[in-house]
Amino acid sequence: TPPGLNFSGYQLSGKGNAATLNNTGQDSYKKFSDSITSQSVYGAFLVNVTAAERPGDYFAAFLPANSNTFYSGRVHARFKDGFLEFGISKASPNDTNTMIWASGYQLNTTYLLVLKYTFITGSANDQVSLFIFPSGMPVSEPVPVIGPLNFSGTSSDAVNIGKFAIRQNATGRSPNLII
């Protein structure tokens, strides 16, 4: 979708086009040149949510290199009590009513979101974090708006991170947005 989104100070602002996501049931994946199995992985993107419902759904996530189904580090959006909310989950389960959400955001506004997935030695203990920037770019990594959360014992860790996905579910739960 032309044109791309704009965000002051973001290096890729206004470059290229954007993608419009609706609830038409299509996923798209971008494979990394190498899979990551340690430390942290970051995914930064601009998003402008034009419509969202409650309970909401996820629209962006990381994936292992050889999977199109094990979404790891999911970014959710919903509309609740007059405000846009962003939330994160590590993987399954996908219970948007018990997740942690950040509220007070507006529809039809461009935000810079940064998803962080951190590998931790052991099992079912990797962490996810979400940074949300309404304006401006930080000079160093700030405290995340949500996280770090490990959802300990509730979902498996990714074996690696090798793809970034954008997702539009075919239900009324999915937000409509430009990314």
Side-chain angles (χ1 to χ4, degrees):
T1 306
L5 295 172
N6 289 303
F7 189 86
S8 180
Y10 185 57
Q11 187 177 18
L12 299 175
S13 181
K15 304 216 177 178
N17 292 324
T20 299
L21 278 63
N22 297 306
N23 54 357
T24 55
Q26 181 178 353
D27 300 349
S28 182
Y29 316 101
K30 177 65 176 170
K31 193 166 186 166
F32 299 171
S33 57
D34 289 316
S35 296
I36 297 143
T37 59
S38 64
Q39 300 182 339
S40 295
V41 181
Y42 296 82
F45 52 93
L46 300 177
V47 65
N48 184 318
V49 179
T50 57
E53 301 292 331
R54 184 168 181 192
D57 204 357
Y58 66 101
F59 63 90
F62 291 122
L63 283 162
N66 294 321
S67 175
N68 289 341
T69 58
F70 191 79
Y71 293 92
S72 305
R74 302 172 185 199
V75 181
H76 302 252
R78 72 178 181 187
F79 196 71
K80 181 182 172 200
D81 299 331
F83 290 99
L84 172 64
E85 296 184 327
F86 293 105
I88 57 171
S89 62
K90 181 177 160 192
S92 201
N94 187 25
D95 183 355
T96 56
N97 292 311
T98 60
M99 292 173 37
I100 297 178
W101 294 87
S103 187
Y105 301 97
Q106 300 295 319
L107 295 173
N108 301 304
T109 301
T110 299
Y111 297 97
L112 169 61
L113 273 60
V114 180
L115 173 62
K116 179 181 179 182
Y117 188 100
T118 302
F119 290 94
I120 298 176
T121 302
S123 63
N125 62 348
D126 289 357
Q127 296 179 340
V128 292
S129 302
L130 184 65
F131 303 84
I132 305 167
F133 301 100
S135 62
M137 294 290 301
V139 291
S140 61
E141 184 173 316
V143 172
V145 174
I146 305 173
L149 303 172
N150 71 5
F151 303 94
S152 182
T154 61
S155 64
S156 299
D157 294 339
V159 293
N160 65 61
I161 299 294
K163 294 180 192 171
F164 186 80
I166 56 176
R167 176 181 180 268
Q168 48 188 10
N169 196 348
T171 70
R173 297 171 55 125
S174 295
N176 293 335
L177 57 88
I178 302 166
I179 188 169

